[in-house]
Amino acid sequence: STKAALAPSESEKHKAEARLAELTSENQSLRRELESWKGRVESLVKKFNQVDPEEHRKALEQVEALTKEQQSAAAWKTNMEGENKRIREIARNVNQKLKDLRGP
């Protein structure tokens, strides 16, 4: 009678142990999946935050070329301003000489 009374609880114990094993296994599986997803996310974040060395090199070359172009344009502008001033001075002298030649 004691064995009969214990039989259902033994059966329930085995069911509970089986359920516990099932849940433990599922928990471990979910933890592995979570770690896998964390790795994927980390990989994607690194990928999108990473600068392609070739693109970076090209960008630096473009900056250098544009800087040289800007410096060249600035030098040309300064030269042209000086030339403009010189031409205006010549024009003023020519106009003055014409006035002098025409007389009063």
Side-chain angles (χ1 to χ4, degrees):
S1 88
T2 309
K3 283 188 180 184
L6 289 179
S9 63
E10 283 291 324
S11 173
E12 288 176 16
K13 179 182 172 189
H14 287 299
K15 285 181 185 177
E17 286 175 349
R19 181 71 177 138
L20 178 61
E22 179 185 331
L23 290 173
T24 301
S25 175
E26 185 177 344
N27 186 332
Q28 290 172 349
S29 175
L30 289 171
R31 287 181 186 273
R32 283 192 300 273
E33 190 173 343
L34 174 66
E35 289 306 313
S36 175
W37 276 106
K38 281 182 181 178
R40 288 179 190 159
V41 169
E42 188 176 315
S43 174
L44 286 171
V45 168
K46 282 182 183 178
K47 181 179 179 181
F48 285 111
N49 286 336
Q50 186 177 16
V51 176
D52 179 12
E54 182 63 21
E55 290 297 319
H56 186 254
R57 184 189 61 75
K58 286 179 183 177
L60 289 177
E61 285 177 359
Q62 187 176 16
V63 167
E64 186 177 331
L66 290 172
T67 300
K68 286 179 182 177
E69 187 176 325
Q70 184 272 334
Q71 290 169 345
S72 176
W76 180 82
K77 178 182 177 258
T78 301
N79 188 33
M80 289 300 108
E81 286 171 343
E83 189 68 16
N84 187 3
K85 184 177 178 183
R86 188 178 71 78
I87 290 170
R88 287 180 185 272
E89 184 68 32
I90 290 171
R92 196 168 357 108
N93 288 339
V94 167
N95 283 336
Q96 187 62 46
K97 286 182 182 181
L98 282 174
K99 277 185 182 177
D100 291 348
L101 288 174
R102 288 185 186 146

